[in-house]
Amino acid sequence: MMRVTDIFKAANIDEEVLKTLSREDLKDLFPGPENFLKRKKLWDMIGPKDGDPDQDRGSGNVSATCAVLTSQPPTSTPVHEITAKTVKLPDPPEYVVYTDSELDMVRSQYFDLLRNGKEKVCKMSKELSCRLIRNTITSMVAILRASPLGKEERYPSKHELRAMSQKIVDYYPMLRDTSDLPYLTIYSKMYKRVQNMKSPRKRQGPKPQRGSAKRSLFETSTEEEGTASSSASTASTVILPESDVSNDDLSPGNTAFGIVCFYFVQHQDSLKMQARHYKTLFNMYSKPNSKPNPSDVAQILDLEFDARRAFIDSSVLKEEDRIAKIFEAYPCFKDPQNAMDELRRILGGTNPKYIDETKKKWENFCANVQFYGVWKKVLKPPIPLNMHDVMPLPADFTIAILTGLPSLFPSPTSPPKRLGNPSEALLHVLQAREDPSLYLEKRPLTSPVLLFDGKVCILAVGNVPVSTIPKEEFFDGMLMLMAYYYTMHLTYPKCVATLLSVIQTEVLCDAIHDRDATGSYKRAMAEWKSFIEK
């Protein structure tokens, strides 16, 4: 086999000609696959260095090329391009950029085009770039876990990923970004790959986690947590089931449960999770005479709020069976406390003191209404001169206030003939031996109403008796009526629309849009404001 120097002498190639040789010239001089490594070594010595096309060919002691090649025996180890593939960090381990024959071919094409100024044409395919990222990260993880640091660190840090991404774009220049950070795209893909490799956290099993106590969505003070418990649940936080709502459960059907779940899923994909919460809530009331833990119910209602309001406020329910369908879908709202909490969610958001603040505003409003009623000759002189010192207020005072309010803030529309007085839309005082169920059936309105027999107050919505209210809470009955108007998205009866609009703005602090403000409302508010500002 002829030596390299002999071939050069036979071809009359001196040092000046050697600098001008191309890869094709080397193939002509040293043909055949057995001379591949020899051609590669020669090209490494006489070819331009990476990233510097203007550098003189053969820099790096070209005159010694022949001697070096002659002295080195043939080897099967490939000679890499000048750019190193290893990343040396201050601490071990040492990471290696992944490469294979296809990636090396793309890299060689890039430098061939670079000499002609056409390097921008060279692009690495998506398949190859994904393979590069995937195998480089796999190699880094394996090297890290085999090192002494592997016991503490299972995945490369952001600093190591940044250093490796810089090395990758140096070794494969066609992957550089045009921005100030040429390695940003590669770094983002590497970081995403590491995140996908990390093992997900295990789900909490049926055994409660020891350590810090579970916290509900809306935190409550230790005094408010109480000791509420029931056979259905005793935990302070509900652990929702992991299974999805099945397609059978989501069929519309005629049941309120099916209508609600079907509405959730059909209108927005993100509401599917809230449909699971609704199923949990529905199952809590599925057993006869079930009494779920109030804190559990409140938490589920918090989680499912957006979907529930979208369903109730929509036109999916007909007005004539709205109340029955909502009570069927949400039996929890037969408890006035849950309706009051819903009022807080709608108007007060996450303010846990909203109901207490609203009750205080109702007291102040009624205190002013006493004198306003006397001034307009609708009410008798105030019964309790200082309401705050007479709590609970006597039932006669509450009856007088609720009976006189429609006259103080009148609506232009007369009540139905069978109703008689407009105050009957708010309160009906039961006569001796009067059957409340029979009265509700004949009542011409479907709005919430209070029924009082002198001892017990019954809260009804439409013709459905919802709950009984203790006599000491009778004064707050008006707020409960407003809570049901908001909870069920009911329309104010025309005969008391002005009064309820005034309570909405003055007590609940919920402004009315200008287009919804009627003339009677504006006149009533003007007279009220002029009186209380005196």
Side-chain angles (χ1 to χ4, degrees):
M1 182 176 179
M2 295 181 63
R3 298 198 315 170
V4 174
T5 52
D6 296 337
I7 295 176
F8 283 167
K9 287 179 181 180
N12 295 323
I13 297 175
D14 55 14
E15 292 186 15
E16 296 300 325
V17 177
L18 181 62
K19 296 179 181 179
T20 63
L21 294 180
S22 65
R23 287 182 180 269
E24 297 298 327
D25 295 333
L26 293 178
K27 288 183 180 180
D28 293 338
L29 291 170
F30 306 97
E34 66 276 5
N35 291 321
F36 171 76
L37 295 179
K38 189 177 295 184
R39 292 195 302 269
K40 188 169 181 63
K41 289 181 180 180
L42 280 170
W43 182 252
D44 288 344
M45 294 183 179
I46 67 175
K49 293 187 177 181
D50 296 348
D52 193 2
D54 298 329
Q55 186 177 357
D56 293 338
R57 296 173 60 87
S59 62
N61 197 8
V62 176
S63 60
T65 300
C66 296
V68 171
L69 289 174
T70 305
S71 60
Q72 290 182 349
T75 175
S76 60
T77 304
V79 179
H80 303 290
E81 295 289 343
I82 296 174
T83 303
K85 295 192 297 181
T86 58
V87 178
K88 294 182 179 180
L89 299 170
D91 295 325
E94 184 176 81
Y95 298 120
V96 181
V97 177
Y98 173 79
T99 185
D100 57 22
S101 58
E102 294 184 53
L103 290 170
D104 276 340
M105 185 180 298
V106 175
R107 186 168 181 266
S108 299
Q109 291 175 358
Y110 174 84
F111 288 111
D112 287 343
L113 294 171
L114 182 64
R115 284 190 290 275
N116 299 325
K118 299 180 180 179
E119 68 278 3
K120 294 183 179 180
V121 181
C122 183
K123 302 291 183 181
M124 183 180 292
S125 67
K126 183 178 180 180
E127 179 183 356
L128 285 179
S129 62
C130 291
R131 184 197 305 174
L132 171 64
I133 298 298
R134 181 175 61 252
N135 292 337
T136 299
I137 292 297
T138 302
S139 173
M140 292 179 69
V141 172
I143 293 173
L144 174 62
R145 294 184 179 181
S147 69
L149 297 177
K151 295 181 180 180
E152 300 177 359
E153 302 292 338
R154 305 294 293 172
Y155 298 94
S157 64
K158 290 183 179 180
H159 170 70
E160 293 171 334
L161 293 177
R162 189 179 299 110
M164 177 56 78
S165 61
Q166 292 174 340
K167 181 60 64 175
I168 287 177
V169 298
D170 289 342
Y171 195 76
Y172 298 102
M174 72 288 298
L175 297 176
R176 290 176 177 269
D177 292 341
T178 57
S179 61
D180 296 336
L181 297 175
Y183 59 88
L184 184 59
T185 300
I186 297 298
Y187 170 77
S188 300
K189 292 181 178 179
M190 294 178 68
Y191 180 78
K192 184 177 180 180
R193 177 63 183 170
V194 171
Q195 295 302 311
N196 291 338
M197 290 180 65
K198 289 184 177 181
S199 302
R201 294 182 178 179
K202 294 182 178 179
R203 291 182 179 271
Q204 180 64 39
K207 187 175 182 179
Q209 182 179 4
R210 291 174 173 82
S212 59
K214 298 179 185 296
R215 305 187 71 89
S216 59
L217 181 64
F218 295 95
E219 297 181 1
T220 56
S221 62
T222 54
E223 292 82 9
E224 295 174 343
E225 287 178 0
T227 58
S229 61
S230 68
S231 59
S233 174
T234 58
S236 61
T237 301
V238 178
I239 300 177
L240 300 177
E242 298 177 5
S243 59
D244 294 341
V245 180
S246 64
N247 294 332
D248 295 337
D249 292 336
L250 298 181
S251 59
N254 295 321
T255 64
F257 174 79
I259 294 175
V260 175
C261 290
F262 183 76
Y263 179 84
F264 288 174
V265 177
Q266 291 298 317
H267 279 69
Q268 188 176 349
D269 290 340
S270 62
L271 298 181
K272 289 184 180 180
M273 180 63 70
Q274 298 194 34
R276 299 181 194 175
H277 300 327
Y278 169 73
K279 182 180 179 181
T280 302
L281 179 65
F282 189 84
N283 291 337
M284 294 169 71
Y285 285 89
S286 60
K287 297 180 180 180
N289 301 323
S290 59
K291 295 181 180 179
N293 190 330
S295 62
D296 293 349
V297 175
Q299 187 184 8
I300 296 294
L301 291 174
D302 289 336
L303 295 172
E304 191 239 359
F305 175 75
D306 293 335
R308 180 173 65 257
R309 296 319 311 170
F311 165 69
I312 293 177
D313 297 345
S314 69
S315 58
V316 70
L317 296 176
K318 296 181 180 180
E319 196 65 30
E320 55 269 19
D321 44 331
R322 167 182 292 273
I323 294 174
K325 288 294 184 183
I326 292 177
F327 275 139
E328 183 182 353
Y330 294 95
C332 57
F333 286 137
K334 291 186 177 180
D335 184 351
Q337 184 58 47
N338 289 329
M340 294 291 284
D341 286 342
E342 188 76 354
L343 178 67
R344 186 263 305 163
R345 295 184 190 95
I346 297 172
L347 299 181
T350 58
N351 180 14
K353 298 181 180 180
Y354 175 79
I355 298 300
D356 293 335
E357 294 171 356
T358 303
K359 289 181 178 180
K360 192 70 175 178
K361 292 175 183 176
W362 171 242
E363 291 179 11
N364 295 334
F365 177 77
C366 291
N368 291 327
V369 161
Q370 293 181 90
F371 298 98
Y372 185 57
V374 173
W375 178 64
K376 297 199 73 172
K377 299 181 180 180
V378 173
L379 297 176
K380 296 179 180 180
I383 300 173
L385 295 178
N386 190 347
M387 291 177 52
H388 305 293
D389 296 337
V390 187
M391 295 300 288
L393 291 167
D396 293 341
F397 172 77
T398 303
I399 295 174
I401 290 291
L402 295 183
T403 303
L405 280 174
S407 301
L408 295 175
F409 305 98
S411 295
T413 305
S414 301
K417 291 184 178 180
R418 284 190 297 170
L419 195 65
N421 195 293
S423 62
E424 290 287 319
L426 309 176
L427 171 67
H428 175 72
V429 179
L430 294 170
Q431 302 300 320
R433 297 182 181 180
E434 184 178 5
D435 186 1
S437 299
L438 184 60
Y439 170 80
L440 291 175
E441 290 179 4
K442 296 180 179 181
R443 187 169 180 262
L445 297 179
T446 58
S447 59
V449 66
L450 298 173
L451 306 179
F452 186 66
D453 65 354
K455 296 180 180 179
V456 179
C457 178
I458 301 175
L459 174 61
V461 181
N463 59 0
V464 181
V466 173
S467 178
T468 57
I469 302 174
K471 190 174 181 180
E472 55 271 15
E473 296 181 12
F474 181 36
F475 177 71
D476 296 328
M478 186 66 220
L479 296 181
M480 297 180 188
L481 297 183
M482 295 300 295
Y484 278 101
Y485 277 111
Y486 275 81
T487 298
M488 304 190 128
H489 196 65
L490 301 176
T491 303
Y492 294 154
K494 293 182 179 180
C495 59
V496 289
T498 301
L499 166 63
L500 298 182
S501 299
V502 171
I503 295 176
Q504 174 181 330
T505 54
E506 293 298 289
V507 180
L508 304 183
C509 298
D510 183 18
I512 293 180
H513 198 278
D514 290 339
R515 65 169 177 260
D516 297 326
T518 61
S520 59
Y521 167 76
K522 293 178 180 179
R523 289 191 297 271
M525 286 298 298
E527 292 182 8
W528 169 255
K529 291 292 185 182
S530 63
F531 175 79
I532 62 176
E533 290 174 0
K534 290 180 180 180

